[in-house]
C-alpha cells in the first residue's frame, strides 16, 4: 500500500508538471499572436550556445530545471505563428491542429498496422480518399500515403514511375534497365534532383526544362528535350510538373504537359507541395486544371492549409502499385494470419518501417473548418498577396521580378533604396542591389519585427520572396512589412 | 475596438478549448497507466468505421463536436503506455518526453536552417555529439542526423557508403559504377533490402549471411560470401551488422565483422535501431563492443529509451560526407550571404527538405533523467526479460526458440497448450503449434488485457516474441502475461 501511495504521489507530481508546461505553452501561444511581441529574439550561434547550459549530463535535473529549459527554448525560438512571420511556406498555428498534434503525441503510436493504430489508419484511408476526390480521380479511387515531407513524397513518385516501367529494377537494380531520364522545370524544387541522386538515377539524368518569364514550364521545350533524349537512346520515364513553384509560385501548364506525357507514355507527377491546396478553393483551382490526368500528386497540407508540421501526402492514381513497389513482407509485422482485414495494414507500401502519425491533425482541422473553412483561409491569403502586389507594383523604389498578378501568394520584388534608384551603370546597380535584401533581412532579424525570405534566381540578383500562408495575417501586416523594409533599407 | 474585442473573445474561447483537450489527454494518460483499464477496446475495421462518423464534410463542426471526436479517437486507440502492452519495440510514455513533444508542436518549425530553428539546431548538434562520444569516436567527432525512423537511417547509411566509394554516382547514377553488393544477416531488418531496392541497387544485390542458432551473424560466412562476390566481379561496398535484431534481439559480433570490413575495405554500418541504446548501460554495453569501428550507426531513442515516436539518429564517423553526398545548394533556403555562421544550416545534408523537430523530446528527457536515468531504465527492462526467461525456460508447456539468456529484452518462446504437448507426430504437432499464437493473440486483443507479438522465422512456426521497453512494467506484469497466455491458450 505504501509503495502504491508513493507511486500515486509521484504520478500527481508528474501531472502537475505537465500542466505547468501547458501553462508555459499557452502563454507562448498568446504572445505569438501578439504583434507587440518580437518574431524572434535573435542571437548568433556562438552567443546562443553560451546563453544557457545546453549540455547533457550524467545526473538528472529537477523538474523545476526542466521548466526553466522549456522557457529558455521558447524564449529563443522563432514565433512561427506570429502574423508578421512570412519567412517560409509553412507559417501560422491552428489551435485545433495543435490540439490534434498533442493528442497524437499522447497516443504515441505508429502507422504501420491497424493493430497498433486502428483509428489513425482509418482516418488516413478516409482523408486520402477525400483528397483524391478533390483531385478529380473517379470515386476517389487510387492510393497514397502520408510521408515525412514533400521531398520524400516526390522521391516516392519517382520510385513508383521507375517501378511501373521496369518492375525488375526492384530486384535487379539500375544495371538491369536502360538509361532513364526525368524532366522538370528549371524552377522546380531541388528534391527532384535529390531524389534522382538517391535512387541511383543521377542528377545528370534530370533534364531541366525552360521556364517562361513568370516561371512556368515551357511545354514546347519539354517535348524537344524528350525527343532529344530518345534520340540518344535514353528512356524518358518521369515528368515532374510543379503546381506552385517555391520562389515564383508559378503553376506549370498541366494540360499541355499531360498531353506530352500521354504521347510519349511517361509518368506524369505533379509536385503540388505548395500549390496543391488551391484545389480546395473554387476561385483558384483552375490553376491546377489537368491535375486529374497526373499519375501522382504531392500535396502538403502543412503549407497552405496551416496544418502543424509535418503533413505531406503523396496521392497515386494506380491502386496496388505502391504495395508492389515497396513491399518486403516482414513477417514479424505483417503476419498473414491475423484476425482482421489485412488490407488495413498499410505499412509495407512505405519506405519507412515505423511511420509517424501525421494524419490526425489534418483530419481534425478538416472536421473543425469543413472544406469551406480551408477554402476561406486559402482565399484570404491569396487576397492578401494581391493586396501587396497592387500596393508595390507602381510604388516608387520597387521593381517586380516578373510581370502580372501572382498566381499563388508568392510576391517577388526588389526594394531599391534611394541611393541606388537612379544609378546609371547597370552592372554597378545590380551589384549594389544584390546586397540590399540580405542586409535588410539581417536587420529584420536583429530588430525581430518581421521576417521574409530572399534569394537570387538565375541571373536575377537577390530579391525578396514574400509568401503568405498564415490566416492570422491582415492587410495592416502587409502595410507594416512595406514600412519596415523601407525603414530598414532607406540608408543602403 | 469592437473587432478587437471579438478577436479576444474568440481567442479566449480557443484557449479554453485547448485546455479542455488537455484535460481529456490527462485523463487518458491516467487511464493508460492503470492496469484495470483495457490495453485496447478492439473492433474490426468495418465495425470501427461504423462506430463514429469519421467522414469529412464541407461544413464546419462545432468545437464541442471536435471534443467528441477527440474522445472517440482515444477510446479506440491502443494504450501504448499501458504496462501490459508488449507488442512493439516502442512502448511506454515518458511525461517529460510528452511535454517536450507538446512544446515541439507548439513551436511548429522546421530543422533545415538555424534561421528558423536556432535552439533545436543547437540541441541536435549537442546531442549528436554526445551520442558519438558514447559510441566511442574520439571527442565525439563525426556527423549525423535525426531522420524519420530506422529504415530511413539505414538507407542513409547505404547511400553514404555508395557515395564514399563512387562519388560520381551522385551525378551519373548507377550505370557509372560496377555491380555493387551489400551484406547483412538473414535475421536483419527488412529495411536493408527496402533501401537497396529504392537506391537502385536491387534486392538481389543484398546478400544474406547465415546467422547462428541465437541469431548472430556468422563472420566466416560473411567472408566467404564477400570472396564469392569478388570472384564474380562484383564490388562489396556495404556490410550492415545488427545490434539487437528485431525478433531474437541478437547482437552480431561487431569486432570480427569490423576486421573483415577493414580487410576488404568495406563500409561497416551498425543497425542499432533497437540495441543501440544498450550503449547507455555500463552493464550491457559490452554487447556492442567494436561499434566504435563502424563507419555509421543507426540508433533509435524512440525504442529502448522510450522517447515518444519518432526519434531515430544516424551517426556517421566521417565529417562532411553527408553534406557532399546530399547537398543541392538550394539558393532560396541556404543563402550563402546570411549574417550568421552557415555551418548551422544543416538542412542540405538531408534527403528531406522540411524536417520535423525530433530532437527536443530526447534532449529534454536526457536532461531530466541524466545518462544514469536512461541506464537505470534500460537495466530494469533487461532485468524483467531475464525474469521472464528464468520463469518459463523450464516451465511445463513452454519451449524456448533458442537457448541461452536473452541478450536484449527479446524473449522468444512457444506456448504449447496441454492438447498438443505430447503429440508424437512431429509434423502434426508443428502444424497445430503454428496456429496457437495467432489465436491467443486475437483473444488477447478481444479481451484487451495485454498484447504481445508473434511471428514465424525461417522454418520455425509461429512463436511469441516478448519485448520490454516500457519502464512502467513490473515483475507482476510479467507474471500476468504468463497467466494470461495460459488462460487464453489452455483449450487450443
Amino acid at each position: 500500500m505504501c509503495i502504491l501511495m508513493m507511486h500515486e504521489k509521484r504520478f500527481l507530481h508528474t501531472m502537475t508538471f505537465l500542466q505547468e508546461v501547458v501553462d508555459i505553452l499557452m502563454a507562448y501561444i498568446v504572445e505569438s499572436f501578439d504583434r507587440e511581441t518580437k518574431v524572434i529574439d535573435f542571437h548568433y550561434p556562438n552567443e546562443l550556445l553560451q546563453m544557457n547550459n545546453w549540455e547533457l549530463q550524467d545526473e538528472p535535473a529537477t523538474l523545476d530545471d526542466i521548466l526553466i529549459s522549456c522557457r529558455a527554448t521558447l524564449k529563443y525560438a522563432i514565433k512561427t505563428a506570429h502574423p508578421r512571420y512570412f519567412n517560409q511556406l509553412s507559417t501560422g498555428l491552428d489551435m485545433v491542429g495543435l490540439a490534434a498534434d498533442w493528442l497524437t503525441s499522447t497516443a504515441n503510436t505508429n502507422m504501420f498496422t491497424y493493430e497498433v493504430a486502428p483509428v489513425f489508419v482509418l482516418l488516413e484511408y478516409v482523408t486520402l480518399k477525400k483528397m483524391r476526390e478533390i483531385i478529380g480521380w473517379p470515386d476517389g479511387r487510387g492510393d497514397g500515403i502520408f510521408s515525412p515531407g514533400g521531398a520524400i513524397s516526390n522521391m516516392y513518385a519517382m520510385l513508383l514511375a521507375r517501378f511501373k516501367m521496369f518492375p525488375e529494377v526492384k530486384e535487379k537494380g539500375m544495371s538491369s534497365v536502360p538509361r532513364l531520364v526525368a524532366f522538370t522545370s528549371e524552377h522546380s524544387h531541388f528534391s527532384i534532383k535529390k531524389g534522382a541522386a538517391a535512387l541511383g538515377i543521377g542528377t545528370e539524368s534530370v533534364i531541366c526544362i525552360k521556364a517562361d518569364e513568370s516561371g512556368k514550364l515551357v511545354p514546347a521545350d519539354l517535348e524537344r528535350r524528350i525527343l532529344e533524349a530518345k534520340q540518344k537512346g535514353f528512356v524518358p520515364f518521369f515528368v515532374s510538373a510543379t503546381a506552385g513553384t517555391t520562389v515564383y509560385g508559378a503553376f506549370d501548364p498541366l494540360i499541355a504537359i499531360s498531353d506530352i506525357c500521354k504521347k510519349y507514355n511517361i509518368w506524369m507527377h505533379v509536385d503540388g507541395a505548395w500549390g496543391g491546396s488551391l484545389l480546395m478553393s473554387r476561385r483558384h483551382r483552375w490553376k491546377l486544371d489537368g491535375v486529374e490526368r497526373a499519375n501522382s500528386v504531392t500535396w502538403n497540407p502543412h503549407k497552405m492549409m496551416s496544418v502543424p508540421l509535418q503533413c505531406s501526402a503523396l496521392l497515386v492514381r494506380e491502386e496496388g502499385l505502391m504495395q508492389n513497389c515497396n513491399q518486403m513482407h516482414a513477417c514479424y509485422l505483417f503476419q498473414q494470419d491475423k484476425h482482421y482485414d489485412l488490407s488495413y495494414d498499410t505499412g509495407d507500401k512505405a519506405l519507412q518501417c515505423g511511420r509517424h502519425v501525421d494524419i490526425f491533425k489534418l483530419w481534425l482541422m478538416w472536421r473543425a473548418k469543413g472544406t469551406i473553412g480551408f477554402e476561406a483561409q486559402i482565399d484570404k491569403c491569396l487576397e492578401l498577396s494581391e493586396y501587396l502586389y497592387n500596393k508595390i507594383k507602381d510604388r516608387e523604389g520597387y521593381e517586380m521580378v516578373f510581370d502580372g498578378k501572382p498566381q499563388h501568394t508568392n510576391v517577388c520584388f526588389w526594394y531599391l533604396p534611394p541611393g541606388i534608384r537612379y544609378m546609371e551603370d547597370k552592372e554597378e546597380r545590380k551589384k549594389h542591389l544584390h546586397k540590399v535584401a540580405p542586409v535588410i533581412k539581417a536587420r529584420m532579424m536583429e530588430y525581430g519585427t518581421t521576417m521574409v525570405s530572399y534569394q537570387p534566381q538565375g541571373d536575377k540578383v537577390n530579391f525578396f520572396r514574400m509568401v503568405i500562408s498564415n490566416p492570422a495575417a491582415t492587410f495592416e501586416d502587409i502595410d507594416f512589412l512595406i514600412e519596415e523594409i523601407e525603414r530598414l533599407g532607406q540608408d543602403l
Side-chain angles (χ1 to χ4, degrees), chain A:
Chain A
M1 263 320 266
C2 181
I3 288 172
L4 206 78
M5 276 172 65
M6 251 177 63
H7 271 174
E8 273 185 16
K9 209 176 143 193
R10 212 170 57 191
F11 205 68
L12 261 175
H13 191 53
T14 330
M15 297 312 259
T16 313
F17 160 77
L18 207 52
Q19 183 60 51
E20 279 177 291
V21 174
V22 168
D23 294 342
I24 292 172
L25 298 180
M26 298 262 200
Y28 178 79
I29 294 166
V30 173
E31 254 189 35
S32 292
F33 286 98
D34 178 1
R35 290 175 177 79
E36 303 296 305
T37 308
K38 281 182 171 191
V39 173
I40 178 175
D41 179 6
F42 179 79
H43 298 276
Y44 290 93
N46 55 345
E47 287 171 8
L48 189 52
L49 268 171
Q50 274 148 34
M51 291 187 101
N52 199 39
N53 172 16
W54 308 106
E55 290 301 318
L56 296 166
Q57 315 284 348
D58 287 348
E59 299 297 320
T62 65
L63 285 186
D64 281 341
D65 285 335
I66 293 303
L67 293 176
I68 291 169
S69 288
C70 288
R71 285 195 200 94
T73 299
L74 291 173
K75 176 167 165 44
Y76 303 113
I78 306 283
K79 296 201 168 52
T80 58
H82 197 290
R84 291 175 182 167
Y85 172 77
F86 305 107
N87 207 60
Q88 307 297 142
L89 305 182
S90 305
T91 63
L93 187 63
D94 184 273
M95 286 305 115
V96 173
L98 180 64
D101 215 22
W102 288 4
L103 184 147
T104 301
S105 306
T106 312
N108 194 30
T109 194
N110 233 319
M111 287 299 284
F112 41 49
T113 60
Y114 179 84
E115 184 174 329
V116 305
V119 183
F120 299 132
V121 164
L122 291 186
L123 297 184
E124 185 168 271
Y125 173 83
V126 164
T127 309
L128 286 172
K129 184 163 184 292
K130 184 83 179 176
M131 292 172 90
R132 290 189 302 259
E133 281 169 13
I134 290 173
I135 286 173
W137 290 335
D139 300 322
R141 277 200 304 273
D143 208 338
I145 200 164
F146 282 84
S147 92
I152 303 291
S153 291
N154 287 340
M155 194 169 93
Y156 265 117
M158 198 179 267
L159 189 63
L160 290 171
R162 180 175 71 180
F163 177 77
K164 173 74 180 168
M165 198 174 267
F166 298 103
E168 64 271 30
V169 78
K170 182 175 177 181
E171 284 86 27
K172 302 203 176 293
M174 287 293 286
S175 55
S176 68
V177 303
R179 168 128 179 230
L180 304 179
V181 279
F183 303 85
T184 193
S185 121
E186 54 183 332
H187 279 230
S188 72
H189 191 260
F190 68 90
S191 56
I192 305 298
K193 284 201 171 184
K194 223 168 220 193
L199 303 189
I201 291 164
T203 53
E204 286 179 5
S205 295
V206 178
I207 295 175
C208 282
I209 307 301
K210 261 191 217 143
D212 66 17
E213 260 309 294
S214 65
K216 291 172 194 292
L217 178 145
V218 177
D221 193 51
L222 173 62
E223 186 158 17
R224 191 177 67 78
R225 302 301 298 269
I226 288 173
L227 287 170
E228 217 174 81
K230 284 168 85 81
Q231 266 164 4
K232 287 185 192 154
F234 304 159
V235 177
F237 81 109
F238 183 74
V239 171
S240 179
T242 312
T245 58
T246 314
V247 179
Y248 282 22
F251 288 80
D252 288 345
L254 301 184
I255 293 177
I257 292 170
S258 77
D259 285 342
I260 295 170
C261 288
K262 199 174 168 194
K263 185 169 169 188
Y264 298 101
N265 193 28
I266 306 175
W267 182 285
M268 178 183 172
H269 174 62
V270 173
D271 176 4
W274 173 224
S277 302
L278 268 59
L279 289 167
M280 310 282 281
S281 159
R282 281 164 287 188
R283 199 183 303 162
H284 297 286
R285 74 163 284 149
W286 62 270
K287 295 167 187 173
L288 290 105
D289 277 353
V291 68
E292 70 286 355
R293 301 195 193 173
N295 298 93
S296 55
V297 179
T298 293
W299 173 354
N300 287 9
H302 71 216
K303 294 196 164 86
M304 200 59 194
M305 287 158 77
S306 271
V307 176
L309 289 158
Q310 60 192 191
C311 187
S312 168
L314 177 76
L315 294 314
V316 182
R317 196 166 60 191
E318 184 175 330
E319 276 174 271
L321 190 67
M322 287 196 88
Q323 186 77 17
N324 290 334
C325 178
N326 294 323
Q327 72 188 348
M328 291 291 153
H329 304 288
C331 60
Y332 67 90
L333 201 52
F334 310 114
Q335 300 91 338
Q336 296 304 299
D337 47 10
K338 283 180 183 174
H339 61 127
Y340 60 81
D341 177 355
L342 295 176
S343 68
Y344 291 94
D345 280 1
T346 55
D348 211 14
K349 68 184 176 193
L351 279 177
Q352 298 173 271
C353 173
R355 185 159 59 93
H356 189 260
V357 178
D358 293 333
I359 184 59
F360 190 63
K361 48 200 173 191
L362 170 59
W363 182 83
L364 200 69
M365 279 176 69
W366 205 320
R367 292 282 278 202
K369 288 177 197 295
T371 310
I372 59 164
F374 275 127
E375 177 182 47
Q377 96 182 32
I378 290 162
D379 285 355
K380 186 195 164 192
C381 289
L382 277 142
E383 243 174 75
L384 287 172
S385 72
E386 202 177 325
Y387 173 80
L388 171 62
Y389 169 74
N390 286 327
K391 183 169 174 130
I392 60 173
K393 73 176 187 321
D394 302 315
R395 189 182 177 95
E396 176 162 8
Y398 290 82
E399 266 178 44
M400 305 310 292
V401 173
F402 59 91
D403 289 337
K405 230 169 65 171
Q407 294 274 291
H408 206 312
T409 69
N410 308 50
V411 182
C412 295
F413 63 91
W414 288 283
Y415 167 69
L416 291 85
I420 64 166
R421 230 166 263 175
Y422 308 103
M423 268 190 185
E424 297 223 330
D425 184 334
K426 281 200 170 167
E427 276 313 301
E428 194 64 15
R429 185 170 175 267
K430 231 172 142 173
K431 238 174 79 186
H432 269 83
L433 188 54
H434 189 55
K435 290 179 192 156
V436 169
V439 174
I440 295 179
K441 171 70 177 278
R443 290 179 179 177
M444 282 175 174
M445 289 178 73
E446 274 158 34
Y447 284 101
T449 46
T450 184
M451 274 173 79
V452 59
S453 191
Y454 74 86
Q455 67 286 297
Q457 168 113 10
D459 59 351
K460 298 189 159 74
V461 299
N462 277 324
F463 56 86
F464 285 113
R465 179 209 61 180
M466 174 69 176
V467 282
I468 304 160
S469 60
N470 184 356
T474 62
F475 295 113
E476 289 74 24
D477 293 315
I478 304 293
D479 294 339
F480 175 83
L481 175 80
I482 292 304
E483 285 160 28
E484 193 64 0
I485 285 176
E486 293 174 4
R487 182 178 79 89
L488 298 173
Q490 198 89 39
D491 63 322
L492 294 176

